[in-house]
Amino acid sequence: MAITSGTADPRNMGGKATPMTKEEKKVIFASSLGTVFEWYDFYLYGSLATIIAKQFFIGDPTTTFIFALLAFAAGFIVRPFGAIVFGRLGDMIGRKYTFLITILIMGLSTFIVGLLPGHASIGIAAPIILVTLRILQGLALGGEYGGAATYVAEHAPHGRRGLFTSWIQTTATMGLFLSLLVILATRTAVGEDEFQAWGWRIPFLVSVLLLGISVWIRMAMQESPAFAKMKAEGKTSKAPLSEAFGEWKNLKIVVLALVGLTMGQAVVWYTGQFYALFFMEKTLMIESATANILIAIALLLATPFFVIFGVLSDKVGRKWIILGGCLIAALTYFPIFKALTHYGNPQLEAAQISAPVVVVADPASCHFLFNPTGQRKFPSSCDIATSTLSASAVNYTRQDAPPGTVAKIKVGDKELSSFNAVMTPDNLNFDAASKARETAFKAEVTSAIRAAGYPAKADPERINKPMVVLLLFILVLYVTMVYGPIAAMLVEMFPTKIRYTSMSLPYHIGNGWFGGLLPTTVFALVAFKGDIYYGLWYPIVVALITFIIGALFVRETKDRDIYAAD
């Protein structure tokens, strides 16, 4: 792949960047605004995962929530396939037309979620249809980002691509911010009980208005000047997939873009914006409306830094800003999340110190409580004990016992015996007697942990909100470091005729798979280990791998000519 620096860019005459015209600014603004709406649609589900779990899935609280997160992740898993399909179209027929297709698929899928009956009404069809809609959303989003980033970069003057593409980078956070605001407004308007019952559907239904605006905006857009120039010269690729992934000189860049950039960027992004919200709601048991307000404030304060780091990348380079964000995040996640517990739920922190919990059990009876169907029950005494503690966000350690020992929970000076349940003939649930014992056991455990100081929820009066916002701001600041410059860098890594296809795939594998699966993976690791911070090892390890690979093998790109055809 020959990419050179120079003045081949028609928007860079005499080495000086010409200013953007009014029409070009309007087109780029339209592209960014449409992308905000698309991210809003996509993020509604993530923001409402806890409620959706109750509406569409069945099972115990731990496995139900994991299954809801898997449905959330389903949209991310298919994003690379959307990148392949729509990236190919974008490189063959143009950037503009793919936008209309992706926004229509995204908007209609989101609207239908707002109308979809729950599990209580249509049974197993409810989660099946929901996951199908999530897959359609993921496919659409897979074609959206690469097109938007390419489109904006190809309009931007040489030497200012970091600035202009950074506005596209703000759209994901602004989409999340908008979704949180709509959810908060709806919660306030209808009340929490009504919101849990039916009000959660309103943000999904409102998206049909955003769909209409987005389609109107997309129809008014003009084609990218770089693609138009290439098409006029007859240099478009007839087989962008085989050129991008069938030739090693291009494929190796795709692999480096994934492992040395987007993989680490993704886990930092989703840890800072999504897992932080899940952690506050599910682990620290901060009331959902409060958690949403706190993260929304942090997002609002940090969003300008996407542009700041985009501008900085035009001056000093993109590589070390992105890799620096990965390294700093990996080194500080543990103290930051422990500080979130300290300031967000000090009673929980105090209880973990003063009343440590131990599960004494036969190691063979303790299993990884990961249930992707939401149906399976875990009947061993160890699994019943650990799932009960995990559902209450209680840290525990395990102590081995002789084979065949019935598990016990030690809370301070109290010792509670678990039991081995008996399954129904279909092996899907506990029998009636075991259900009764489970209810009694959970009540006994709850009583013991409450007596030991473990709170049922975070005390609103004891939440240090300024400090929580500061910590969340730091987490989002890391996001702006890794995400602000990355669109420009990915665009600059590939030639025009296969740019849409080539940059979309590593971006969506990184963000769709490594990032999208983060909440599910982290939560399952926490439930298995019994340590509310244990799941942080996942983003830490991935971010460190990206830092090492990127530092050694990825080259700086800010001075490259993106108008080169080969």
Side-chain angles (χ1 to χ4, degrees), residues 132-405:
T132 301
L133 293 172
R134 290 295 300 166
I135 289 173
L136 288 173
Q137 288 179 320
L139 289 171
L141 192 56
E144 165 65 23
Y145 177 83
T150 299
Y151 184 78
V152 172
E154 290 177 348
H155 276 85
H158 182 80
R160 301 179 70 192
R161 287 190 292 267
L163 167 62
F164 285 99
T165 58
S166 67
W167 290 103
I168 287 292
Q169 303 308 92
T170 68
T171 61
T173 296
M174 292 305 295
L176 174 58
F177 182 72
L178 181 61
S179 71
L180 293 176
L181 285 183
V182 173
I183 290 169
L184 181 61
T186 307
R187 265 194 162 107
T188 303
V190 304
E192 186 61 29
D193 291 340
E194 295 300 314
F195 185 83
Q196 293 277 341
W198 60 268
W200 64 270
R201 297 180 180 275
I202 294 176
F204 288 93
L205 298 175
V206 166
S207 69
V208 75
L209 301 176
L210 304 181
L211 172 62
I213 296 172
S214 298
V215 170
W216 175 75
I217 288 173
R218 295 282 166 92
M219 291 182 70
M221 290 166 61
Q222 300 176 10
E223 186 51 84
S224 153
F227 183 85
K229 175 178 178 292
M230 183 178 63
K231 186 175 182 180
E233 295 172 351
K235 296 180 178 179
T236 57
S237 173
K238 294 181 174 58
L241 292 181
S242 60
E243 286 193 47
F245 311 124
E247 299 178 13
W248 175 241
K249 66 177 182 178
N250 291 325
L251 180 60
K252 68 181 180 181
I253 305 299
V254 172
V255 173
L256 282 177
L258 169 61
V259 182
L261 288 174
T262 63
M263 190 173 74
Q265 166 260 304
V267 296
V268 172
W269 182 14
Y270 288 102
T271 300
Q273 294 192 170
F274 274 104
Y275 183 64
L277 180 59
F278 290 146
F279 185 80
M280 286 192 295
E281 291 183 341
K282 192 70 177 177
T283 303
L284 302 186
M285 295 168 288
I286 296 174
E287 195 269 328
S288 292
T290 301
N292 282 322
I293 291 172
L294 295 174
I295 194 73
I297 294 172
L299 290 172
L300 184 62
L301 294 173
T303 293
F305 285 88
F306 285 107
V307 179
I308 291 172
F309 284 116
V311 172
L312 186 62
S313 76
D314 283 330
K315 300 181 182 300
V316 303
R318 324 207 193 278
K319 170 181 171 177
W320 289 110
I321 295 176
I322 296 169
L323 297 183
C326 289
L327 179 63
I328 297 171
L331 295 177
T332 59
Y333 273 158
F334 276 119
I336 287 176
F337 276 85
K338 288 180 180 179
L340 277 176
T341 303
H342 177 75
Y343 292 110
N345 194 338
Q347 290 173 289
L348 176 62
E349 180 189 48
Q352 290 172 347
I353 297 172
S354 64
V357 176
V358 179
V359 175
V360 182
D362 172 7
S365 68
C366 301
H367 305 98
F368 188 59
L369 303 181
F370 189 74
N371 181 12
T373 65
Q375 300 273 352
R376 183 183 172 195
K377 298 286 284 186
F378 297 88
S380 79
S381 60
C382 178
D383 294 339
I384 291 172
T386 56
S387 63
T388 300
L389 293 171
S390 295
S392 299
V394 175
N395 270 2
Y396 63 85
T397 57
R398 284 217 304 255
Q399 180 180 324
D400 292 347
T405 300

Side-chain angles (χ1 to χ4, degrees), residues 92-144:
M92 293 181 69
I93 67 173
R95 317 325 191 188
K96 171 183 174 179
Y97 297 104
T98 59
F99 288 160
L100 288 173
I101 299 172
T102 57
I103 200 68
L104 282 169
I105 295 174
M106 174 66 75
L108 291 176
S109 298
T110 302
F111 180 70
I112 294 172
V113 170
L115 300 175
L116 183 63
H119 190 281
S121 300
I122 60 174
I124 193 65
I128 291 175
I129 295 172
L130 179 67
V131 172
T132 301
L133 293 172
R134 290 295 300 166
I135 289 173
L136 288 173
Q137 288 179 320
L139 289 171
L141 192 56
E144 165 65 23

